[in-house]
């Protein structure tokens, strides 16, 4: 199972499907420092927070995402869409679709030749391939729900399907939803074994299936 640790915290957080870990940080300075550390690592920089699995250190840029926007969460994130296009391209060259793919590419090339016929110069297409066609199609993922929290859950499932399991670190999620809604969110996360770590700057009531660690303004842990 994944583990998350920070050198200025005594607790090592184990990410498992028994409970969702919540870290409450009441000190604004410490809150800012730990979030900046995590955010910089998701962008490929070095930091102090350590994410590991079975003793192997994991890169935050590959295995974690930090979620701060719960007003207009966009499921169509660039990295996910890149993975979707790659999956579709792989499917296009599978045994089932290979012949149809070749026919499509040949048809596109033939059509370009037709368009170029009236011109005196030789116009030759050199980059006709499925990845280019798929990228030009403007592929997006359509989500039935408009609620950002439901979209976040859908996003977690899509990342699992098209990439791999990641740790999703939410920031001040409970500022946006009541306890009942958050409880349902936690239950769904655990039922699907999604990896979620919640960071809050306010001490809300502890919910069922929530494992709480608090750092107060004096940096005391309890």
């Amino acid at each position: 199972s994944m583990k998350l640790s920070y050198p200025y915290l005594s607790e090592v957080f184990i990410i498992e499907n028994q409970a969702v870990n919540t870290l409450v940080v009441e000190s604004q300075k410490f809150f800012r420092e730990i979030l900046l550390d995590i955010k910089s690592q998701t962008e490929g920089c070095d930091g102090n927070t350590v994410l590991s699995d079975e003793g192997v250190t994991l890169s935050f840029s590959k295995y974690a995402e930090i979620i701060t926007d719960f007003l207009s969460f966009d499921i169509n994130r660039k990295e996910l869409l890149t993975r979707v296009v790659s999956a579709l391209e792989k499917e296009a060259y599978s045994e089932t679709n290979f012949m149809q793919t070749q026919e499509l590419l040949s048809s596109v090339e033939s059509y370009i030749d037709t368009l170029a016929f009236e011109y005196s110069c030789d116009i030759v297409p050199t980059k006709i391939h499925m990845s280019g066609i798929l990228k030009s199609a403007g592929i997006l993922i359509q989500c039935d729900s408009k609620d950002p929290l439901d979209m976040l859950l859908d996003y977690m499932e899509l990342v699992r399907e098209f990439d791999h399991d990641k740790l999703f670190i939410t920031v001040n999620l409970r500022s946006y939803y009541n306890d009942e809604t958050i409880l349902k969110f936690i239950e769904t996360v655990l039922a699907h074994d999604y990896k979620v770590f919640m960071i809050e700057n306010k001490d809300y009531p502890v919910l069922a299936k929530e494992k709480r660690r608090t750092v107060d303004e004096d940096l005391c842990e309890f």
Side-chain angles (χ1 to χ4, degrees):
S1 57
M2 284 186 179
K3 293 182 180 179
L4 183 74
S5 62
Y6 187 67
Y8 304 108
L9 292 172
S10 61
E11 178 88 0
V12 175
F13 300 95
I14 301 174
I15 314 301
E16 54 187 358
N17 62 358
Q18 303 301 312
V20 168
N21 286 280
T22 301
L23 174 63
V24 175
V25 183
E26 297 177 340
S27 163
Q28 289 97 332
K29 182 176 183 293
F30 191 74
F31 181 77
R32 183 175 66 254
E33 286 175 353
I34 191 170
L35 287 178
L36 283 174
D37 185 273
I38 293 172
K39 186 175 186 297
S40 67
Q41 289 199 66
T42 61
E43 295 171 349
C45 301
D46 293 332
N48 294 315
T49 312
V50 177
L51 181 64
S52 63
D53 190 359
E54 302 297 334
V56 178
T57 300
L58 303 177
S59 166
F60 273 83
S61 61
K62 292 183 179 179
Y63 288 93
E65 292 191 31
I66 187 166
I67 310 294
T68 59
D69 186 0
F70 301 101
L71 293 178
S72 57
F73 179 78
D74 186 6
I75 200 169
N76 286 290
R77 296 193 166 197
K78 183 179 179 181
E79 185 177 352
L80 176 60
L81 291 179
T82 299
R83 297 285 183 179
V84 170
V85 169
S86 295
L88 292 176
E89 183 179 9
K90 183 179 179 181
E91 188 65 29
Y93 287 103
S94 67
E95 184 177 350
T96 304
N97 300 308
F98 182 80
M99 290 303 299
Q100 187 174 353
T101 297
Q102 294 304 314
E103 290 171 4
L104 172 63
L105 297 178
S106 177
S107 177
V108 171
E109 183 175 0
S110 176
Y111 181 61
I112 293 175
D113 286 341
T114 301
L115 295 176
F117 181 76
E118 296 296 330
Y119 298 93
S120 59
C121 59
D122 289 332
I123 300 174
V124 181
T126 61
K127 294 184 179 180
I128 299 178
H129 43 67
M130 277 306 300
S131 62
I133 292 175
L134 290 167
K135 288 175 183 176
S136 67
I139 288 172
L140 293 175
I141 297 165
Q142 189 171 9
C143 187
D144 294 332
S145 176
K146 299 301 181 183
D147 180 76
L149 200 57
D150 289 336
M151 292 179 70
L152 175 57
L153 290 167
D154 288 343
Y155 178 72
M156 292 177 187
E157 183 60 34
L158 289 168
V159 169
R160 169 180 285 172
E161 180 178 356
F162 289 100
D163 197 352
H164 52 250
D165 273 331
K166 292 185 178 182
L167 177 64
F168 298 94
I169 301 168
T170 66
V171 180
N172 285 341
L173 173 60
R174 296 189 67 173
S175 299
Y176 298 89
Y177 295 93
N178 61 30
D179 293 351
E180 181 181 359
T181 303
I182 295 296
L183 180 58
K184 290 180 180 177
F185 171 75
I186 289 175
E187 290 173 344
T188 303
V189 163
L190 297 177
H192 291 82
D193 198 21
Y194 298 140
K195 314 300 182 187
V196 172
F197 185 82
M198 298 170 61
I199 301 179
E200 303 284 337
N201 67 352
K202 181 180 176 181
D203 211 2
Y204 293 92
V206 179
L207 303 174
K209 300 294 185 178
E210 177 193 356
K211 186 179 180 182
R212 174 76 59 85
R213 190 73 176 173
T214 300
V215 180
D216 65 17
E217 293 183 0
D218 298 320
L219 302 184
C220 296
E221 289 184 50
F222 55 91

